[in-house]
Amino acid sequence: MLATPNRLRTSTDFSTTVRSGVRNGRRNLVLYTAPIGAAEPSRIGFIVSKAVGNAVTRNLVKRRLREAGALSLHTHGTGLAVVVRALPAAASASWEQLLSDYNAALAVTTKRLGGSAPRSASPEHNGTTREGTPRA
């Protein structure tokens, strides 16, 4: 389970991360990663549409992806906003397949962000939403 500070909550945070983040697609998911403040805890959000399956299937996929996200917080605990969009193939994927797709996509996106240092906060206007995600 993800702690409250590690969850993306608002639609603004989701859309900002998707629009300004680095994208990497895999068979079962598409992952977007954007830098946030270096001292900010990493935040993860999930998009699992009805195309994935019925409510039971969607919730199973969401629980598995949430656990993969929680495991990734051990190595990427601060400085990232991550949005995970499950694709319809995720419905029939095993836990190992989802975990490997998630880890591979996260590794690629963080490598691409390697040169992008998280924005520092200035006292006047730090260019972030109230939750801390950078604005587009």
Side-chain angles (χ1 to χ4, degrees), residues 4-126:
T4 303
N6 296 113
R7 297 182 200 160
L8 282 179
R9 287 274 169 108
T10 65
S11 62
T12 304
D13 286 342
F14 274 86
S15 62
T16 301
T17 303
V18 169
R19 287 183 191 156
S20 64
V22 175
R23 176 184 182 272
N24 187 265
R26 297 288 168 175
R27 182 177 186 274
N28 299 308
L29 55 89
V30 178
L31 192 131
Y32 303 88
T33 306
I36 57 175
E40 294 287 324
S42 290
R43 294 186 181 92
I44 304 173
F46 304 93
I47 302 170
V48 184
S49 73
K50 286 186 178 182
V52 173
N54 64 17
V56 174
T57 303
R58 290 194 312 270
N59 286 328
L60 174 66
V61 169
K62 204 180 314 180
R63 282 193 307 271
R64 288 177 173 176
L65 290 173
R66 197 178 298 130
E67 181 61 26
L71 292 174
S72 72
L73 288 175
H74 296 294
T75 55
H76 302 289
T78 59
L80 294 177
V82 177
V83 171
V84 182
R85 181 184 303 272
L87 298 175
S92 59
S94 68
W95 158 245
E96 290 81 15
Q97 291 170 328
L98 282 175
L99 182 62
S100 69
D101 278 357
Y102 178 89
N103 288 334
L106 185 63
V108 169
T109 57
T110 53
K111 183 178 179 182
R112 287 184 191 164
L113 286 175
S116 304
R119 297 176 183 166
S120 61
S122 66
E124 310 85 31
H125 174 60
N126 62 6

